[in-house]
């Protein structure tokens, strides 16, 4: 099995406070996953679960504390530019902050074409830009000379995607790409991701708190909670038949998991809680309806249950096999 991106045992710790009261928070805690070519893999969870920190580390914006990342079999260099020249691009949450309001949007595209030496003449550059814009339902003619404020949020996010495509990336890291887009346009953006996967073979690391779009667009999904992946498998396995109590809670917060009908549903749970990050044992123990004594002192192992990774003591007795003793999870 080819792995385009492989994240192994990734940990990121931050130290907060002063000399007298210093605490260390583990924002990402021994996280491992991989992405195959032409696959949409989602990291999902509430605010403060560690998904965006993971994305920033993958993009080289944050240093790794421990662990390793491989891209195309080569070790991650931790340098942002190295990623950009090696077939990885990013799309961020707020399309308006992606572009300077005083610059035409078109200038960003020409700059990228120039930096990556992708055309030998202005017309060749325009043709390339137009081709990428057409993939997202726009054209060079309708965007030339315009400034960011002349577009809607949805149009500008499409333009961000087209810009990411200018370099023909093999992997796009999309961090909450639809959360600031009008509800009525969200589906068109996630449909674009499917189209890029199916027609161009692009892989996407989709970071979201919105389980409805995650269900609609993902091949596989990992649910994160306070820095840990607590469940990982195919999207059908994890969202239609969740095993971890936290995944069940998330699933129940969507009244109907048919995104074609309820795609505007956004799951928003509790905000960042430092206590949960610092908790011994299972970090979900304070909220878990199935909590046991062991959960309060012993960190659950990653277990393989029916082909799904589950981090929960409920499965440690009979059903679960330690993931370290198996080859892959839902691969
Ligand atoms: Fe709940 Fe215990 Fe499983 Fe944590 S390990 S999710 S507290 S049952």
């Amino acid at each position: 099995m080819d792995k385009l991106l492989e994240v192994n045992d990734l940990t990121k710790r931050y130290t907060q406070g002063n000399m007298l009261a210093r605490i260390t928070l583990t924002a990402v805690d021994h996280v491992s996953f991989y992405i195959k070519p032409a696959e949409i893999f989602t990291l999902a969870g509430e605010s403060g679960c560690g998904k965006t920190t993971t994305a920033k580390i993958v993009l080289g914006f944050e240093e790794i504390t421990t662990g390793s990342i491989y891209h195309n079999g080569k070790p991650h260099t931790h340098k942002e530019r190295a990623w950009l020249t090696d077939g990885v691009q990013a799309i961020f949450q707020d399309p308006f902050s992606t572009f300077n309001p005083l610059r035409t949007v078109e200038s960003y595209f020409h700059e990228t074409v120039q930096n990556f030496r992708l055309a030998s003449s202005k017309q060749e550059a325009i043709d390339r830009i137009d081709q990428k814009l057409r993939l997202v339902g726009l054209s060079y003619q309708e965007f030339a000379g315009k400034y960011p404020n002349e577009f809607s949020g949805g149009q500008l996010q499409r333009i961000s995607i087209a810009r990411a495509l200018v370099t023909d990336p093999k992997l796009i890291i999309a961090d909450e790409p639809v959360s600031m887009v009008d509800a009525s346009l969200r589906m068109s953006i996630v449909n674009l991701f499917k189209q890029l996967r199916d027609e161009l073979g692009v892989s996407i690391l989709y970071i979201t708190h919105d389980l409805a779009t995650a269900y609609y667009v993902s091949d596989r999904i990992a649910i994160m909670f306070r820095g840990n992946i607590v469940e990982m498998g195919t999207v059908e396995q994890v969202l239609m038949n969740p095993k971890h109590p936290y995944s069940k809670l998330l699933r129940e917060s969507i009244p109907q998991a048919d995104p074609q009908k309820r795609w505007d549903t956004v799951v928003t749970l509790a905000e960042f809680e430092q206590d949960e990050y610092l908790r011994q044992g299972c970090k979900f123990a304070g909220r878990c309806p199935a909590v046991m004594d062991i959960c309060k002192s012993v960190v659950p192992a990653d277990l393989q249950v029916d082909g799904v990774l589950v981090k929960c003591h409920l499965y440690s007795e009979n059903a679960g096999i330690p993931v370290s003793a198996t080859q892959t999870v839902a691969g």
Side-chain angles (χ1 to χ4, degrees):
M1 175 189 52
D2 291 340
K3 291 178 183 170
L4 183 63
L5 181 79
E6 199 173 352
V7 173
N8 296 318
D9 213 17
L10 183 69
T11 294
K12 176 69 184 177
R13 293 192 194 94
Y14 296 101
T15 302
Q16 292 185 337
N18 53 34
M19 293 280 282
L20 297 173
R22 182 168 289 187
I23 56 167
T24 300
L25 289 181
T26 306
V28 178
D29 193 359
H30 298 286
V31 159
S32 299
F33 62 87
Y34 61 85
I35 303 178
K36 292 184 280 187
E39 181 181 49
I40 301 178
F41 178 80
T42 294
L43 285 179
E46 66 193 299
S47 172
C49 72
K51 59 190 189 303
T52 291
T53 304
T54 303
K56 283 182 180 168
I57 293 170
V58 170
L59 282 166
F61 297 154
E62 296 268 0
E63 291 283 328
I64 292 173
T65 305
T66 59
S68 60
I69 301 177
Y70 287 82
H71 175 232
N72 269 332
K74 290 183 287 184
H76 186 346
T77 61
H78 308 297
K79 291 194 183 109
E80 179 193 345
R81 292 297 301 172
W83 281 109
L84 297 179
T85 53
D86 204 17
V88 181
Q89 286 285 343
I91 299 163
F92 299 103
Q93 183 173 20
D94 181 2
F96 287 100
S97 67
T98 304
F99 300 100
N100 180 333
L102 302 176
R103 273 182 69 182
T104 61
V105 172
E106 175 191 7
S107 68
Y108 286 88
F109 282 70
H110 283 290
E111 187 179 77
T112 304
V113 170
Q114 246 175 3
N115 287 345
F116 287 82
R117 297 194 176 93
L118 297 170
S120 51
S121 67
K122 182 151 191 206
Q123 189 55 51
E124 203 182 316
I126 290 172
D127 290 346
R128 186 179 188 92
I129 295 166
D130 184 58
Q131 183 204 10
K132 304 306 177 192
L133 285 165
R134 287 184 186 278
L135 286 170
V136 304
L138 296 162
S139 70
Y140 190 84
Q141 212 177 9
E142 58 188 310
F143 108 135
K146 289 188 178 168
Y147 289 85
N149 66 356
E150 295 179 72
F151 298 99
S152 69
Q155 281 177 317
L156 214 51
Q157 195 58 301
R158 283 173 171 272
I159 289 169
S160 299
I161 295 168
R163 188 189 170 204
L165 293 174
V166 165
T167 58
D168 294 327
K170 283 290 160 211
L171 174 65
I172 291 178
I173 317 277
D175 186 7
E176 298 279 12
V178 296
S179 63
M180 294 185 72
V181 172
D182 275 359
S184 59
L185 294 171
R186 272 183 211 139
M187 205 47 139
S188 67
I189 302 278
V190 293
N191 267 328
L192 249 178
F193 290 157
K194 282 184 156 189
Q195 188 189 332
L196 298 178
R197 175 196 63 191
D198 297 341
E199 293 176 15
L200 303 180
V202 174
S203 298
I204 294 170
L205 173 57
Y206 180 47
I207 311 285
T208 188
H209 67 286
D210 176 0
L211 289 194
T213 55
Y215 176 75
Y216 182 71
V217 78
S218 313
D219 297 305
R220 288 182 304 121
I221 186 168
I223 304 290
M224 289 190 76
F225 181 79
R226 305 299 179 226
N228 293 129
I229 288 180
V230 296
E231 186 161 354
M232 177 164 63
T234 67
V235 75
E236 286 292 327
Q237 288 170 318
V238 174
L239 293 187
M240 296 313 286
N241 184 24
K243 292 182 166 52
H244 193 281
Y246 178 63
S247 310
K248 288 182 184 174
L249 178 75
L250 284 180
R251 172 69 179 75
E252 281 161 15
S253 64
I254 303 181
Q256 189 194 116
D258 180 350
Q260 308 222 39
K261 295 175 187 155
R262 296 300 305 245
W263 51 266
D264 57 337
T265 303
V266 174
V267 176
T268 308
L269 295 178
E271 287 300 307
F272 172 83
E273 288 174 32
Q274 188 172 295
D275 286 354
E276 285 183 333
Y277 266 113
L278 297 174
R279 190 183 291 281
Q280 301 293 310
C282 175
K283 294 190 169 84
F284 191 52
R287 294 200 240 166
C288 180
V291 63
M292 302 172 283
D293 281 346
I294 190 175
C295 308
K296 295 172 188 162
S297 56
V298 179
V299 176
D302 291 344
L303 301 170
Q304 196 178 56
V305 184
D306 302 334
V308 176
L309 178 148
V310 188
K311 193 178 188 65
C312 175
H313 288 302
L314 285 176
Y315 300 91
S316 58
E317 277 297 300
N318 302 314
I321 305 165
V323 165
S324 56
T326 62
Q327 290 295 311
T328 58
V329 172

